Amino acid sequence: MELLSALSLGELALSFSRVPLFPVFDLSYFIVSILYLKYEPGAVELSRRSPVASWICAMLYCFGSYILADLLLGEAPIDYFSNNSSVLLASAVWYMIFFCPMNLFYKCVSFLPVKLIFVAMKEVVRVRKIAVGIHHAHHHYHHGWFIMIATGWVKGSGVALMSNFEQLLRGVWKPETNEILHMSFPTKASLYGAILFTLQQTRWLPISKANLIFFCTLFMVSCKVFLTATHSHASPFDTIEGFICPVLFGSAWGGHGDHHHDDHDVHGGPSSLHAPQPPAKSKEELNEGSRKRKAKKAE
Amino acid sequence: MERMWGELTVAFSRLSMFPFFDIAHYLVSVMTLRQQQGAISVAWQNPLASWFSAMLHCFGGGILSSFLLGEAPTKFLENNTNVLLASSIWYIVFYCPYDIVSECYCFLPVQLLAAGMKEVTRTWKIMGGIIHTSKNYTDSWMVLIVLGWARGAGGNVITGLEQLLKGAWKPETIKFLEMSYTVKITLVGSVLFTLQHIEKLPIEKHSLMFCYTFFIVVTKITMMLTKCHYSPLTPFEIILGRMLFGLRQPEASALLRSTLKSSFNGTSTNSKPYIDNVENKKKQNKKTE
């Protein structure tokens, strides 16, 4: 009986890792990415003022991971744009989200249950991208672990790592809002995922790739759907980091999860980690608030 | 008549860019650099930085396109003759005794001639970018368009980087936000040449090159003569914007009216602060070019 269940699980994982991404999963990846672009302050005005700049931003949001990975591996950053159908699909999504009459498409897509489905599908794509990126890097550098980790990380986190550059296209220049300084949950999860996949690729982890993809996807989908549904900003890694970081990096370690929202806060020590979480606001509100504060500071 | 046209366009498409047109291109680019605020003092205090930004102005398109193709961005240094030519022009523009060169350049016919010849090199650059890219990417027309665009207008796009080099960093002046007329017309040209290249456009290459070059030279010279900062593309843009992007009606029609009025009268009076803003930005862009 156990053997049977293991067999069926293995087969399920294998067939799951072979599901083609192109039309459906990629579509949801584009939809969620461009939805996040629309949440950015000033994005809508930009699309009215200069559609080309807005389109380029949208393309960066959709294909940022490929561009960055190509840059790191010394290939042509424009390489992915030779996939005409993907680019056209992303452009169509961009057009529908920004310019659909009466904002109909945007309203449909940002309706929470629908959005949750898309978010879940986006995470499927993310894990697959990490795996592909590590395979690709392994092809070039057989023993370059760090290269594999970096490529996988970049593939997974996508535009987040080049957010400064992307903001620059929109005429916003805030070097202090760097993704590496305030890593969000997807970025961290991509990093850890990249490490796991690298270990698997170099045969240090006794698990098949299909299974790893399956479990990573399960973890990412459940976390991300939960976070999106509760509008929470906390990351599931916070508790583990709260234990490990003071040990590794000394006792003066402040919680960076809170740091993200409050720049003025002075962190006393590890005790701040166990402080009760602030009431959950929606992500947009939080973003807006911190941005406004920063804008005021800059003025 | 038809044979004459064919011969003319073929002969035109075989023009060699090397000595004269390239000189005109370098001259216009370096003079644009010189007319920027603080460029002269940078040249006296730090000649190397000035030389480097002059090279960015002259070879910006090549640098951007080789970056996009994953080639070495220093590839432009490979062509010794052109780099030496550009460097000598940079030298005489900035350090010539009594500023003879820039005094001469202020004479309008010289300016017109140089600007016209520079526009001719633009066509050749777009073509070169598309042909170079099509060796690797045969049927991906989007890459061809981007690369043609980058070759043709790269210098304009990466002037932001050049400002960073000089320490005058203004993120609002990035060219993507307020695309100047030059950048837009290069995009149009790139689309046209790519369509021609993948044989979607029923026109021969030399005829297209001739027509496009003729168009950009004439519009550039007209714009310089009339000191009019409106691009001839604005009416089309407004119509397209209204159709595709649902630009708000009153705003768009006001913009259209003011554009038409000004293109007839040469001057314009605006009531709306929004339009004023747009105009000012355009003017600034023009100045920095």
Side-chain angles (χ1 to χ4, degrees):
Chain A
M1 192 63 204
E2 268 181 11
L3 187 72
L4 192 71
S5 69
L7 200 67
S8 68
L9 183 67
E11 268 175 12
L12 178 68
L14 196 63
S15 55
F16 177 74
S17 72
R18 282 182 187 157
V19 174
L21 288 183
F22 172 59
V24 184
F25 287 93
D26 274 346
L27 179 70
S28 48
Y29 188 88
F30 300 150
I31 288 177
V32 176
S33 304
I34 296 174
L35 214 55
Y36 284 141
L37 172 64
K38 194 163 180 173
Y39 288 153
E40 292 288 319
V44 179
E45 292 84 61
L46 176 74
S47 71
R48 297 290 178 274
R49 209 154 37 101
S50 160
V52 176
S54 172
W55 181 79
I56 292 174
C57 280
M59 291 303 111
L60 279 186
Y61 262 78
C62 292
F63 307 117
S65 54
Y66 298 101
I67 294 172
L68 262 182
D70 281 338
L71 266 184
L72 286 187
L73 290 177
E75 287 161 12
I78 196 130
D79 200 45
Y80 199 77
F81 282 78
S82 53
N83 291 347
N84 290 332
S85 43
S86 294
V87 179
L88 283 182
L89 188 64
S91 308
V93 170
W94 163 78
Y95 186 79
M96 292 295 279
I97 285 185
F98 276 96
F99 302 105
C100 189
M102 302 166 63
N103 239 347
L104 213 59
F105 188 74
Y106 171 73
K107 277 174 193 157
C108 288
V109 171
S110 56
F111 178 56
L112 194 63
V114 181
K115 193 176 151 188
L116 286 183
I117 296 173
F118 285 136
V119 166
M121 282 159 84
K122 182 183 173 177
E123 295 311 307
V124 174
V125 179
R126 191 196 298 278
V127 175
R128 206 72 85 73
K129 268 184 178 173
I130 297 176
V132 171
I134 281 167
H135 186 77
H136 188 70
H138 179 72
H139 188 73
H140 287 282
Y141 300 93
H142 275 287
H143 301 291
W145 294 10
F146 291 105
I147 299 176
M148 286 187 230
I149 294 177
T151 314
W153 184 35
V154 156
K155 275 255 179 158
S157 47
V159 77
L161 287 177
M162 55 197 291
S163 56
N164 281 131
F165 180 70
E166 179 270 330
Q167 285 171 347
L168 195 60
L169 283 185
R170 293 190 273 120
V172 183
W173 178 242
K174 283 180 292 186
E176 70 275 9
T177 59
N178 197 316
E179 180 69 18
I180 298 180
L181 288 180
H182 315 290
M183 283 215 266
S184 59
F185 165 67
T187 316
K188 272 184 199 164
S190 304
L191 180 58
Y192 299 143
I195 293 173
L196 281 183
F197 276 101
T198 306
L199 288 179
Q200 194 275 329
Q201 186 80 41
T202 50
R203 310 270 164 81
W204 282 77
L205 212 63
I207 184 172
S208 78
K209 194 176 212 168
N211 280 340
L212 189 60
I213 289 180
F214 186 68
F215 290 122
C216 272
T217 312
L218 265 187
F219 173 73
M220 288 295 289
V221 167
S222 47
C223 285
K224 195 74 211 241
V225 166
F226 179 73
L227 290 180
T228 314
T230 54
H231 292 304
S232 144
H233 240 20
S235 112
F237 300 127
D238 274 352
T239 34
I240 307 171
E241 277 167 8
F243 282 117
I244 294 175
C245 291
V247 178
L248 285 182
F249 305 120
S251 56
W253 178 266
H256 44 268
D258 311 288
H259 193 107
H260 185 85
H261 309 307
D262 227 328
D263 286 338
H264 318 289
D265 226 29
V266 181
H267 297 290
S271 63
S272 68
L273 277 175
H274 306 293
Q277 288 279 329
K281 280 186 199 171
S282 79
K283 189 177 177 182
E284 295 86 82
E285 264 181 332
L286 276 176
N287 270 340
E288 286 276 286
S290 60
R291 285 233 165 73
K292 269 180 196 160
R293 240 179 284 145
K294 271 168 199 160
K296 262 183 201 161
K297 241 167 73 179
E299 275 168 15
Chain B
M1 184 63 202
E2 208 153 273
R3 221 188 64 212
M4 250 179 70
W5 166 257
E7 275 172 11
L8 176 71
T9 52
V10 169
F12 177 74
S13 72
R14 284 189 188 147
L15 266 182
S16 164
M17 284 297 108
F18 170 57
F20 300 112
F21 289 93
D22 277 344
I23 288 177
H25 169 64
Y26 300 143
L27 185 66
V28 175
S29 308
V30 177
M31 281 310 294
T32 316
L33 172 67
R34 191 196 148 97
Q35 279 155 6
Q36 279 174 10
Q37 261 187 352
I40 299 172
S41 60
V42 169
W44 284 106
Q45 283 160 12
N46 194 346
L48 197 64
S50 173
W51 177 81
F52 196 72
S53 48
M55 290 304 111
L56 276 186
H57 267 89
C58 293
F59 299 104
I63 296 172
L64 190 65
S65 71
S66 41
F67 170 75
L68 285 179
L69 279 177
E71 294 165 355
T74 47
K75 214 181 161 201
F76 73 94
L77 293 172
E78 194 181 59
N79 200 340
N80 291 328
T81 345
N82 278 7
V83 175
L84 283 180
L85 193 62
S87 307
S88 47
I89 284 174
W90 162 77
Y91 186 78
I92 58 169
V93 164
F94 276 99
Y95 304 105
C96 191
Y98 305 112
D99 278 351
I100 296 171
V101 177
S102 47
E103 291 295 322
C104 289
Y105 187 78
C106 289
F107 186 51
L108 190 64
V110 177
Q111 242 178 42
L112 288 180
L113 184 70
M117 283 166 82
K118 183 194 155 99
E119 294 305 306
V120 176
T121 61
R122 196 181 297 282
T123 314
W124 260 254
K125 279 193 212 149
I126 298 174
M127 279 302 302
I130 288 174
I131 289 172
H132 179 73
T133 318
S134 62
K135 283 175 201 155
N136 294 332
Y137 300 91
T138 37
D139 54 340
S140 49
W141 43 273
M142 228 171 270
V143 179
L144 295 187
I145 292 177
V146 172
L147 258 294
W149 190 28
R151 265 286 171 93
N156 289 0
V157 173
I158 61 174
T159 39
L161 193 74
E162 181 261 328
Q163 283 182 342
L164 178 68
L165 200 77
K166 285 195 316 202
W169 173 238
K170 280 173 285 179
E172 311 87 52
T173 57
I174 295 289
K175 288 284 172 177
F176 281 118
L177 287 178
E178 293 287 339
M179 289 207 297
S180 63
Y181 163 71
T182 330
V183 179
K184 278 177 193 158
I185 196 72
T186 313
L187 180 60
V188 172
S190 180
V191 171
L192 283 181
F193 281 112
T194 304
L195 285 180
Q196 197 278 328
H197 192 85
I198 57 174
E199 288 159 7
K200 289 270 159 57
L201 212 63
I203 183 171
E204 279 180 78
K205 196 156 97 185
H206 10 269
S207 331
L208 184 63
M209 277 168 88
F210 186 77
C211 297
Y212 179 72
T213 314
F214 186 74
F215 177 73
I216 56 175
V217 169
V218 167
T219 42
K220 181 80 188 178
I221 288 177
T222 335
M223 278 165 73
M224 282 175 76
L225 277 178
T226 55
K227 300 244 176 354
C228 160
H229 295 298
Y230 287 102
S231 77
L233 296 176
T234 316
F236 300 105
E237 262 168 40
I238 290 171
I239 292 165
L240 263 183
R242 207 188 274 180
M243 265 164 46
L244 288 178
F245 304 121
L247 206 67
R248 267 178 296 147
Q249 293 289 342
E251 217 169 68
S253 55
L255 201 59
L256 182 65
R257 242 181 286 129
S258 72
T259 316
L260 288 179
K261 213 196 288 172
S262 70
S263 60
F264 289 132
N265 302 340
T267 54
S268 67
T269 48
N270 288 304
S271 51
K272 289 200 173 183
Y274 167 75
I275 297 167
D276 263 332
N277 253 340
V278 171
E279 256 180 28
N280 284 338
K281 268 178 196 152
K282 273 187 187 162
K283 271 177 199 160
Q284 277 164 11
N285 274 348
K286 278 282 127 54
K287 269 182 203 159
T288 53
E289 265 179 38

